[in-house]
Amino acid sequence: MKGILIAAGYGTRCLPATKTVPKELLPVGCVPAIQFLVDELQKSGITELIVVSSRRKKALEDYFDREIELESVLTADGKTEALEKIAPPPVRVVFVRQERMMGTGHALLQVKDLVGDEPCVVAYPDDLHIGEPPLALQLIREYEKTGCSVLASVEEEGDVSRYGVLDVAADGKVRAIVEKPAPGTEPGREISVGRFLLTPEFFSFLEEGWHLHLEAARAAGREPGEYYHVYALNKLMAAGKVVRKIIGGVRLDTGDPAGYLDAVLRCAWLDPELRPVLERWKNT
């Protein structure tokens, strides 16, 4: 099973930090956000990754490569621990560029032929996970029990009107995803988060929806806009082939500055070297 990392976007909500630094490389503590995903997928048994990137994200490719000059300096200085920190992740990584930012459905279409006839785990770098078992492994185990595509979900206590809210049947099958429902109209309290285990059938529906998307644009005499993966998910849900997994552990939402700061503080609190700083700050 392969892991797909969607990392082509502009990261506009975190400007100006993301003007030149990919959002996926912003540090959460001393660890780049994307490393959380790599560790999660690797611990889940996934060692082949496909990163959907863009022209502006060359630094991401460098992150997965060796840094020979720095290795030489650290070796000469005998800094073994630092050498271990900069070693490339022990995974096989392929980069695919999304030439135009045309939505997540279009991004996933770029990897259709690389995924092949097997399920895959799709990860969005805005959603990080802390805890055991790793989030991807939780989805894999659910797939092994059901044979269905699996959506990761959390139960949200507050306002869910800015999320995709799941309509879940009594048997655990997902009937629909209601995007940004008006308060009082939401079908439940479970929201979809950025992990999906997708069966091969998903990509057939994704391609089918893409052709319909293009045809609609041509008929209207306009350029095709962004294409999302909702069409393919709806097809699978209508066939009763999508379940959800309410995840265990802690989800960190780094998609906006407030969520990013929360993630940094949570990880600092768990780090014995950084926690004293927060203790001092709390007491001032």
Side-chain angles (χ1 to χ4, degrees):
M1 191 179 295
K2 295 180 177 66
I4 315 299
L5 277 58
I6 305 298
Y10 294 118
T12 53
R13 287 180 292 178
C14 291
L15 287 170
T18 50
K19 177 182 177 182
T20 54
V21 178
K23 181 174 65 174
E24 298 80 12
L25 291 181
L26 294 180
V28 181
C30 293
V31 179
I34 199 167
Q35 187 62 47
F36 281 79
L37 300 184
V38 174
D39 291 343
E40 173 195 320
L41 293 169
Q42 184 189 356
K43 290 176 182 177
S44 302
I46 296 173
T47 57
E48 293 187 60
L49 306 183
I50 303 171
V51 181
V52 182
S53 184
S54 65
R55 182 187 62 81
R56 301 177 61 256
K57 301 290 187 77
K58 296 184 180 72
L60 271 179
E61 299 180 28
D62 291 339
Y63 179 73
F64 286 92
D65 200 357
R66 291 181 62 191
E67 178 51 76
I68 303 297
E69 182 178 340
L70 182 55
E71 285 180 13
S72 299
V73 171
L74 295 176
T75 300
D77 291 344
K79 296 183 177 179
T80 306
E81 186 176 339
L83 273 171
E84 293 174 355
K85 290 180 179 179
I86 68 165
V91 292
R92 180 172 178 265
V93 185
V94 173
F95 280 85
V96 175
R97 285 191 177 179
Q98 185 182 17
E99 295 180 0
R100 297 174 62 191
M101 300 299 102
M102 296 184 68
T104 52
H106 178 263
L108 286 168
L109 271 179
Q110 311 309 302
V111 306
K112 176 178 179 291
D113 293 336
L114 294 175
V115 171
D117 190 24
E118 61 182 11
C120 63
V121 172
V122 176
Y124 288 81
D126 283 352
D127 282 299
L128 309 182
H129 177 262
I130 299 174
E132 295 294 338
L135 177 48
L137 183 56
Q138 295 180 42
L139 303 190
I140 290 169
R141 288 174 176 171
E142 194 67 22
Y143 163 75
E144 289 172 344
K145 288 192 295 185
T146 65
C148 294
S149 291
V150 186
L151 309 182
S153 74
V154 296
E155 293 185 331
E156 184 71 21
E157 295 182 358
D159 180 21
V160 297
S161 62
R162 64 189 184 95
Y163 299 106
V165 183
L166 303 185
D167 179 6
V168 183
D171 62 359
K173 298 288 181 66
V174 180
R175 293 182 291 219
I177 300 178
V178 182
E179 290 292 340
K180 300 180 180 179
T185 67
E186 60 273 4
R189 309 303 305 172
E190 288 186 44
I191 64 171
S192 175
V193 299
R195 285 304 179 284
F196 308 85
L197 189 149
L198 302 173
T199 55
E201 192 175 6
F202 167 87
F203 286 92
S204 299
F205 288 133
L206 190 69
E207 193 164 39
E208 177 183 297
W210 172 246
H211 291 308
L212 294 174
H213 180 74
L214 294 180
E215 288 173 10
R218 281 195 293 267
R222 57 172 172 77
E223 288 293 315
E226 293 191 338
Y227 173 59
Y228 297 99
H229 58 284
V230 176
Y231 175 90
L233 281 179
N234 283 339
K235 284 285 190 177
L236 288 174
M237 288 186 288
K241 295 182 178 180
V242 179
V243 298
R244 60 63 164 112
K245 171 63 179 176
I246 301 176
I247 66 173
V250 178
R251 172 215 179 203
L252 305 176
D253 181 358
T254 62
D256 58 38
Y260 173 71
L261 177 59
D262 180 73
V264 170
L265 293 175
R266 283 176 181 268
C267 289
W269 188 258
L270 296 173
D271 188 324
E273 293 185 9
L274 298 179
R275 183 166 180 165
V277 178
L278 294 183
E279 293 278 12
R280 289 196 299 272
W281 177 262
K282 186 178 69 171
N283 295 326
T284 58

